[in-house]
Amino acid sequence: MTDHDGGCGFEGCCGRRKRSARLIDARMPELARCLTLFQYVQAVTGGPVARIDQAGGYAVPSLRGDAFAVRPGEIALRLDAAGVASAVVAREQSTGSVTLHLLDADGRTVHQGRLLSEGDRLLAGLVGTLDAGARAVGPSAAISVPAWENVSLPAWENGDQLAQLDAVLADGGAARRGAFDRYRGEHRAIDAGVVPAVLDHVCSVGLPIGVAVFAPAAMQACGGRVHVTDRIVGGRVFAAVAESSVEIDLAGVRACHLVRSTAAHGPTSALELDDEDGRCVAVITQFGIVGEDVHAAWEHLAVSLPDA
């Protein structure tokens, strides 16, 4: 028996109910092969302030320094391999549910995927395991580069949109935010209270957006039209974005920054939401190739947002 109680905030992932668990290989590309085997998963990334939830199949997860894409119908997961210390497949004995957990060095779940189909639950019993007590610490070969140690990441100070996301993925963006006066692109603090109005607006006019939610060493992203928005008692905001649901606790958002960086259509604005520790927990922006009219409408909206 293994009890993984890391206070991670994922529902049902660190409970004290009886469960059986076993370690699987958390290194790339072994982990990527494992994730893409599963056909129908409920994938969740986030923490107390922001959370994203999507059911479907995994795209090949990317690492910091790799290319990145958000495609319809696929779960887009990006990892900092150095921060994912182990992976566990756990079976709840009372219900038979099977969930894969990616854990950091402190044993906290940074991402979980609950296997929704019986075929996937059976397949989970066939994935390669490690010896009891072993830990798959550190990356092996990355997916698209010869060796992770040789990856040269662009500096966020003059980097593009992906460089900004990777800087956040490394440490929650704490180091970047602490030295943000070095950033060479446009940036300003805006009123975090406008976030619900932004989501309501893009929903009402049918403007697609991209949303990325961060946990330590993990980022899950989605993109598409916002179908539904809602404000929940206690300051929580909900949005159904394409096949995903995104939830943000505005009471836990300490600051919001509008940051412009180079993307597929040139300078592209992003709303970065920080928690009380100054770590970025969610980003609302445009990912990849979208229509020029979509990009222009998003930029027009971003320009109109009030300063903090």
Side-chain angles (χ1 to χ4, degrees):
M1 291 300 173
T2 306
D3 182 23
H4 299 279
D5 187 359
C8 62
F10 282 84
E11 181 180 355
C13 74
C14 297
R16 303 181 185 280
R17 293 175 296 176
K18 208 169 188 182
R19 71 184 69 238
S20 60
R22 57 199 183 93
L23 287 166
I24 65 173
D25 201 330
R27 296 169 296 180
M28 292 293 186
E30 291 83 358
L31 178 62
R33 295 191 187 106
C34 175
L35 292 179
T36 53
L37 287 175
F38 302 128
Q39 298 299 304
Y40 196 47
V41 178
Q42 183 180 7
V44 181
T45 300
V49 179
R51 170 186 170 109
I52 185 171
D53 186 325
Q54 180 179 344
Y58 285 101
V60 177
S62 63
L63 293 173
R64 291 177 63 227
D66 286 351
F68 179 66
V70 178
R71 300 184 179 92
E74 295 184 340
I75 298 166
L77 187 64
R78 191 169 181 84
L79 301 173
D80 179 3
V84 178
S86 57
V88 171
V89 172
R91 179 180 294 273
E92 184 66 49
Q93 293 185 343
S94 60
T95 64
S97 65
V98 180
T99 306
L100 180 141
H101 303 283
L102 304 186
L103 308 173
D104 67 9
D106 295 323
R108 298 173 300 182
T109 297
V110 300
H111 173 80
Q112 72 175 29
R114 185 163 66 91
L115 308 186
L116 299 178
S117 75
E118 183 60 30
D120 285 343
R121 290 191 287 271
L122 292 173
L123 183 61
L126 303 177
V127 298
T129 62
L130 301 175
D131 294 334
R135 293 169 64 86
V137 178
S140 59
I143 298 172
S144 61
V145 292
W148 175 250
E149 294 82 0
N150 296 328
V151 175
S152 177
L153 297 179
W156 60 265
E157 291 92 336
N158 58 353
D160 61 8
Q161 182 188 66
L162 193 51
Q164 310 309 311
L165 296 174
D166 278 349
V168 174
L169 187 57
D171 66 348
R176 170 176 172 265
R177 194 70 80 207
F180 215 51
D181 57 332
R182 299 205 310 259
Y183 182 57
R184 300 183 184 181
E186 178 186 342
H187 60 96
R188 60 188 175 96
I190 66 170
D191 183 0
V194 305
V195 171
V198 168
L199 294 175
D200 288 345
H201 175 73
V202 298
C203 179
S204 66
V205 302
L207 180 64
I209 59 171
V211 180
V213 173
F214 295 86
M219 179 189 87
Q220 185 175 331
C222 64
R225 293 197 174 192
V226 179
H227 305 297
V228 178
T229 62
D230 194 12
R231 304 185 194 189
I232 306 170
V233 174
R236 302 191 77 86
V237 177
F238 167 84
V241 184
E243 300 92 356
S244 299
S245 63
V246 176
E247 195 172 324
I248 299 170
D249 181 7
L250 284 180
V253 175
R254 186 191 70 176
C256 182
H257 297 262
L258 191 149
V259 180
R260 300 190 84 206
S261 54
T262 302
H265 291 277
T268 300
S269 298
L271 305 184
E272 300 182 354
L273 308 182
D274 293 353
D275 65 12
E276 61 182 7
D277 296 320
R279 294 177 177 269
C280 182
V281 295
V283 171
I284 303 172
T285 187
Q286 295 289 340
F287 294 126
I289 300 294
V290 297
E292 291 187 9
D293 56 337
V294 170
H295 184 264
W298 172 251
E299 291 306 308
H300 179 74
L301 173 61
V303 167
S304 71
L305 297 179
D307 291 341

